[in-house]
Amino acid sequence: VQLQASGGGLVQAGGSLRLSCAASGRTFGSYIMGWFRQAPGKEREFVAVISWSGRSTDYADSVKGRFTISRDNAKNTVYLQMNSLKAEDTAVYICAARARAWVVGVITSYDSYDYFGQGTLVTVSS
């Protein structure tokens, strides 16, 4: 599967952005989808994940209550709605697809995913 992320940009602190990740192929609904981010000079970190059906989600503590992950399997797209953005949210956001089972403690690991998008840059000005 090929993933194409979009929606990044420059936004003021307190503002909102919605990222999209469009996937190719007819098996999108069978993939767990995750978002990760990497800020300059920092390690890559987990942001959010959603199950095949969309019924299960998980978030990093740093974004809980501010970010919402969702998916539309009919459109082969996963979204990340980001509200109340902070300067520390500045990063390249990467979407990823996992073909294997939902395993707590594993699905937050970047290395457990099978496919990756190119990333979209989010810059939050303070």
Side-chain angles (χ1 to χ4, degrees):
V1 63
Q2 292 184 322
L3 304 175
Q4 180 72 39
S6 62
L10 174 64
V11 62
Q12 288 187 334
S16 298
L17 278 177
R18 187 176 81 156
L19 305 183
S20 300
C21 177
S24 64
R26 293 176 290 181
T27 59
F28 176 76
S30 64
Y31 289 98
I32 291 169
M33 298 300 297
W35 285 97
F36 295 82
R37 67 185 182 185
Q38 186 161 21
K42 295 187 177 181
E43 292 189 356
R44 188 169 46 231
E45 63 176 354
F46 164 75
V47 176
V49 60
I50 189 167
S51 63
W52 309 284
S53 66
R55 292 192 188 97
S56 297
T57 58
D58 194 16
Y59 297 89
D61 287 343
S62 58
V63 307
K64 278 181 182 176
R66 301 188 298 121
F67 290 12
T68 303
I69 189 170
S70 61
R71 67 189 298 161
D72 185 337
N73 288 343
K75 295 182 178 180
N76 281 12
T77 302
V78 63
Y79 305 97
L80 185 68
Q81 177 67 44
M82 306 185 295
N83 299 328
S84 302
L85 283 161
K86 305 175 181 179
E88 51 263 43
D89 294 318
T90 294
V92 173
Y93 284 72
I94 304 161
C95 61
R98 172 180 164 90
R100 289 158 282 171
W102 180 283
V103 179
V104 175
V106 172
I107 54 174
T108 57
S109 171
Y110 184 84
D111 292 337
S112 75
Y113 286 72
D114 303 293
Y115 304 98
F116 304 91
Q118 85 290 359
T120 185
L121 176 62
V122 172
T123 303
V124 184
S125 62
S126 57

